[in-house]
Amino acid sequence: MAVARETAPERAAAWLVPVVRGALALVPAAVITFSQDHSPALGLTVFGAWAVVAGVVAGALAARLVANRTARWAAVGNGIITAAAGLIALALRDTASNGVGAFTFTVAVWAALTGIIELLAGLRLRGRSTSARDWIAAGALTALLALVFVLLPLDPVTAVGLLGAYLVVLGVLLLIGGFSMKWAAAEPVEAGGAASGTEPS
């Protein structure tokens, strides 16, 4: 009963958060995919612009729509970190446009911080939130990106291409997870309403 009470408000509207995040992730992925310029300057520009917009929008949506306190604060914290990383990337694009180090370091630090936060939040929310599995998957994927950027010697083309590939996978994962939450929300409501004729407040 406690689990149902905690997850019910989340399932009503929180599905918008992963759907918006997923849609926003596909935009820079398309830019990278169809661009012939895979320089660090492009990587910093695309990552920076996406991170600022995604961080602000997703963080604001989570603060408004996510009922679970752990999920809400993790999402807001990740939004702040993401927006800050975007601003740093945009500031670096002119001063370090010829070096892949600035790009890989910025993305790696961002991915490590946000990936660990999202992964830990998902593990903590297991059994208490319908979105826990998606948090774990997205967090693990982002943390893996950080490891790749730190451990592998990457040339500019590979580094920017990996960011694009990560954003594609993340976008699809979040869209599937978000719409699954939306579709799953209708089933218990209809069944519960037919059985009891009442709605939880």
Side-chain angles (χ1 to χ4, degrees):
M1 197 56 129
V3 173
R5 186 175 304 168
E6 186 171 357
T7 57
E10 174 190 271
R11 297 171 83 180
W15 63 271
L16 285 169
V17 178
V19 167
V20 170
R21 282 183 64 197
L24 289 174
L26 294 179
V27 175
V31 172
I32 292 174
T33 299
F34 294 106
S35 174
Q36 306 221 351
D37 176 15
H38 279 55
S39 67
L42 175 80
L44 287 167
T45 301
V46 172
F47 172 77
W50 164 77
V52 170
V53 175
V56 172
V57 172
L61 281 176
R64 184 175 180 84
L65 299 178
V66 177
N68 182 280
R69 184 178 301 176
T70 299
R72 182 171 64 249
W73 284 111
V76 171
N78 270 4
I80 293 171
I81 294 171
T82 300
L87 291 174
I88 292 172
L90 292 175
L92 289 173
R93 63 181 173 175
D94 295 325
T95 60
S97 60
N98 292 322
V100 70
F103 171 67
T104 56
F105 179 79
T106 303
V107 174
V109 171
W110 163 80
L113 292 175
T114 59
I116 290 172
I117 290 173
E118 195 159 15
L119 179 59
L120 292 178
L123 292 172
R124 185 173 179 180
L125 290 169
R126 281 188 303 179
R128 297 191 293 144
S129 172
T130 56
S131 59
R133 184 168 50 187
D134 299 321
W135 278 72
I136 293 171
L141 178 66
T142 306
L144 179 62
L145 177 71
L147 285 175
V148 171
F149 269 49
V150 168
L151 298 178
L152 298 183
L154 301 174
D155 58 83
V157 174
T158 304
V160 176
L162 280 174
L163 176 64
Y166 158 80
L167 290 170
V168 169
V169 176
L170 179 69
V172 172
L173 176 68
L174 291 172
L175 286 172
I176 292 173
F179 283 118
S180 295
M181 289 172 61
K182 175 177 167 54
W183 297 329
E187 298 177 5
V189 170
E190 291 173 3
S196 64
T198 60
E199 291 288 337
S201 57

